[in-house]
Amino acid sequence: MQISGSTALLTGATGGIGQAIARALAARGADLILTGRRTDVLEPLASELSARALAVDLADRAEVSRLLGEAGDVDILVANAALPGSGRLEDYSVQEVDRVLDVNLRAPIALAHGLVPRMTERRSGHLVFISSLSGKAATPNTALYNASKFGMRGFATALRADLRASGIGVTTVFPGFIRDAGMFADAAVKLPPGVGTSTPEEVAAAVVTGIERNKGEIDVAPLPMRVSTMFASLAPETAGRFARRIGSDDISSQMAAGQREKR
Ligand SMILES: NC(=O)c1ccc[n+]([C@@H]2O[C@H](COP(=O)([O-])OP(=O)(O)OC[C@H]3O[C@@H](n4cnc5c(N)ncnc54)[C@H](OP(=O)(O)O)[C@@H]3O)[C@@H](O)[C@H]2O)c1
């Protein structure tokens, strides 16, 4: 699908990766609708990119409906907003559990549900879901995030098959650890030697490729990380034992501590 001249709705535009995606889509000539909660970040970004800014809380179902109504016809959805959902389940209130599932999984599904009928009428459109390698392999201290990101993969894969004949593309992007900006960088956790990172701009480039070439799935991580994720998805018990030996419990609890205020 051609991005230039298309209307693209991007959630989580105020975040580290969202800002890079917004800039990449603007550079390709998209008419952008940017969303987030922090208007002090959203509004300057929108005026820099000549975009529309719609401040919404995606944990609020009525606000998701309002967003759909105010956005109007959309050619491209990039469902990027998410909460880190890190930490042990028993440390969450049930309201916090709901918020992770609502923002990370329900809102992307509800937005797709609202947009697909008009896209089907026009026989054109593209949906991009930003998952994570945590949507392919589970790690300690990440049960809620894993649930939401595995769920997103299942949803997007099935939807891609259902929409194949309608002229609507579906792409899922799976970033690994992203440096410089975003929820991992904000947690300021030091990774063991040899565990590589990628940049927000690489995630943004994957979004562009996904739309332009209608790719089903794109991983954004160095090769060793992609291979170890594939192994962990095939043999989670063995991979878990190995990961514990190189300190995965410690790293994931540091990550949860660093992301505590984003619940
Ligand atoms: N960073 C990484 O290493 C990494 C790795 C794998 C996957 N990912 C995925 O990449 C995507 C972007 O993450 P990021 O690193 O850019 O995270 P981030 O910097 O924490 O940004 C999260 C974004 O989600 C928005 N958001 C959170 N709760 C919201 C709510 N209730 N209503 C509306 N918007 C809400 C935030 O907007 P406000 O703050 O303005 O509310 C912000 O724009 C996520 O799907 C994440 O799971 C990230």
Side-chain angles (χ1 to χ4, degrees):
M1 177 167 181
Q2 189 179 310
I3 295 173
S4 178
S6 298
T7 300
L9 169 61
L10 168 67
T11 69
T14 50
I17 293 174
Q19 293 190 32
I21 296 172
R23 291 200 165 88
L25 292 176
R28 291 274 171 165
D31 290 328
L32 286 172
I33 303 169
L34 304 178
T35 81
R37 287 170 302 179
R38 285 171 296 149
T39 49
D40 58 322
V41 183
L42 184 64
E43 280 163 7
L45 181 70
S47 52
E48 177 199 325
L49 302 177
S50 305
R52 276 171 74 195
L54 293 176
V56 290
D57 182 349
L58 296 171
D60 180 331
R61 294 177 180 200
E63 295 229 343
V64 176
S65 301
R66 178 173 68 81
L67 172 60
L68 281 164
E70 291 186 10
D73 272 350
V74 167
D75 303 300
I76 298 168
L77 169 69
V78 184
N80 163 71
L83 292 167
S86 52
R88 293 177 63 93
L89 179 65
E90 59 272 33
D91 291 342
Y92 273 69
S93 69
V94 76
Q95 289 79 11
E96 289 170 336
V97 170
D98 285 343
R99 190 153 48 236
V100 173
L101 296 177
D102 280 347
V103 175
N104 293 17
L105 189 57
R106 185 196 178 274
I109 293 173
L111 291 174
H113 177 261
L115 295 174
V116 162
R118 284 285 293 129
M119 289 181 174
T120 306
E121 276 171 33
R122 296 197 304 274
R123 294 199 58 77
S124 159
H126 202 99
L127 307 165
V128 182
F129 298 97
I130 308 297
S131 178
S132 163
L133 290 184
S134 297
K136 295 185 172 189
T139 43
N141 269 306
T142 327
L144 287 172
Y145 190 65
N146 285 134
S148 65
K149 296 299 187 178
F150 271 67
M152 182 176 245
R153 186 187 193 194
F155 172 72
T157 306
L159 193 64
R160 180 175 169 83
D162 288 347
L163 296 178
R164 192 173 293 279
S166 322
I168 302 167
V170 179
T171 299
T172 315
V173 176
F174 299 88
F177 294 113
I178 303 303
R179 63 177 180 271
D180 303 338
M183 59 173 67
F184 166 71
D186 292 348
V189 171
K190 200 167 175 301
L191 292 172
V195 179
T197 57
S198 306
T199 63
E201 289 69 29
E202 288 174 88
V203 181
V207 170
V208 167
T209 303
I211 298 166
E212 290 183 339
R213 293 165 53 194
N214 191 19
K215 294 265 186 195
E217 296 199 341
I218 307 178
D219 289 348
V220 184
L223 183 64
M225 176 74 75
R226 300 203 304 269
V227 171
S228 60
T229 301
M230 191 186 293
F231 174 65
S233 72
L234 294 171
E237 282 295 315
T238 314
R241 271 199 300 278
F242 177 75
R244 274 195 295 283
R245 256 188 253 142
I246 63 165
S248 65
D249 287 352
D250 194 34
I251 292 162
S252 61
S253 37
Q254 283 176 43
M255 195 109 80
Q259 294 174 330
R260 203 176 171 88
E261 81 284 5
K262 291 192 188 181
R263 284 195 178 175

